[in-house]
């Protein structure tokens, strides 16, 4: 239809021809980017050398999983910031990762004026973080401090 209008010489249809070509090019570019993303993500490499439980050997690679998340400053239901001897601590839920054993966990804190944290204890479903410096829980909540974490382990 646009070709017939162009042949007839309608000047206003030259714009629609150009926009159709641009739209087609944009779609091809978008599709190429999407395809590249899918292909590159399918070729990820996961190698787990050892695990926190010394007697457990790493499993088969198809069972390996990298799982990450954020534990927000305003969580409730057992996952809120609490006080312990002038330090703030919290439980971080990672049950959604479905690990079958304790994974390797790394965590850091982000937010304005937030203290450093360290991992106090962990199992396959959750881990606990505690501030390195003395900091009351209300202060950590006030500054909006949240925990960013990543865990690598096995699901089968």
């Amino acid at each position: 239809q646009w070709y017939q209008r162009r042949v007839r010489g309608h000047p206003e249809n030259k714009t629609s021809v150009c926009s159709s070509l641009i739209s087609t090019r944009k779609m091809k570019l978008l599709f190429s980017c999407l395809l590249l993303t899918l292909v590159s993500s399918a070729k990820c490499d996961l190698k787990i050398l050892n695990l926190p439980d010394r007697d457990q050997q790493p499993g088969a690679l198809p069972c390996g999983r990298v799982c990450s998340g954020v534990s927000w400053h305003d969580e409730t239901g057992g996952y809120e910031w609490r006080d312990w001897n002038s330090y703030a601590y919290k439980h971080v839920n990672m049950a959604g990762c479905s690990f079958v054993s304790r994974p390797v966990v790394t965590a850091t804190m982000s937010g304005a004026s937030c203290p450093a944290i360290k991992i106090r204890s962990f199992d396959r479903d959750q881990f606990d973080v505690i501030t390195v410096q003395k900091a009351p829980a209300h202060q950590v909540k006030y500054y909006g401090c949240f925990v960013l974490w990543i865990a690598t382990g096995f699901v089968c």
Side-chain angles (χ1 to χ4, degrees):
Q1 179 182 357
W2 63 267
Y3 178 75
Q4 291 173 348
R5 288 184 196 160
R6 186 170 164 258
V7 171
R8 289 185 195 151
H10 293 284
E12 68 273 11
N13 290 324
K14 289 181 182 176
T15 305
S16 66
V17 170
C18 291
S19 64
S20 293
L21 290 174
I22 291 170
S23 296
T24 304
R25 287 183 184 153
K26 283 182 181 178
M27 289 302 291
K28 285 182 181 178
L29 180 62
L30 179 63
F31 180 76
S32 298
C33 290
L34 180 62
L35 185 62
L36 180 63
T37 302
L38 289 173
V39 169
S40 64
S41 65
K43 291 186 174 190
C44 68
D45 184 32
L46 175 64
K47 183 165 184 108
I48 301 172
L49 297 178
N50 48 33
L51 296 164
D53 298 324
R54 288 181 178 234
D55 58 339
Q56 182 184 5
Q57 294 298 314
L61 284 183
C63 294
R65 174 171 291 167
V66 176
C67 188
S68 62
V70 177
S71 183
W72 299 103
H73 71 284
D74 56 357
E75 289 183 332
T76 59
Y79 298 101
E80 63 271 8
W81 283 106
R82 296 179 183 191
D83 288 309
W84 182 77
N85 289 343
S86 301
Y87 296 89
Y89 80 96
K90 77 179 309 202
H91 303 298
V92 178
N93 184 0
M94 60 179 181
C97 299
S98 303
F99 292 121
V100 295
S101 60
R102 292 190 323 156
V104 175
V105 179
T106 304
T108 189
M109 184 123 79
S110 186
S113 301
C114 296
I117 57 169
K118 64 181 179 179
I119 297 173
R120 191 171 122 197
S121 63
F122 65 101
D123 62 26
R124 66 184 192 179
D125 293 326
Q126 77 174 24
F127 63 94
D128 299 334
V129 294
I130 189 166
T131 57
V132 175
Q133 306 98 309
K134 291 185 177 185
H138 71 85
Q139 176 185 343
V140 176
K141 289 179 193 177
Y142 175 78
Y143 286 121
C145 302
F146 54 95
V147 178
L148 304 164
W149 59 270
I150 187 166
T152 306
F154 291 94
V155 294
C156 57

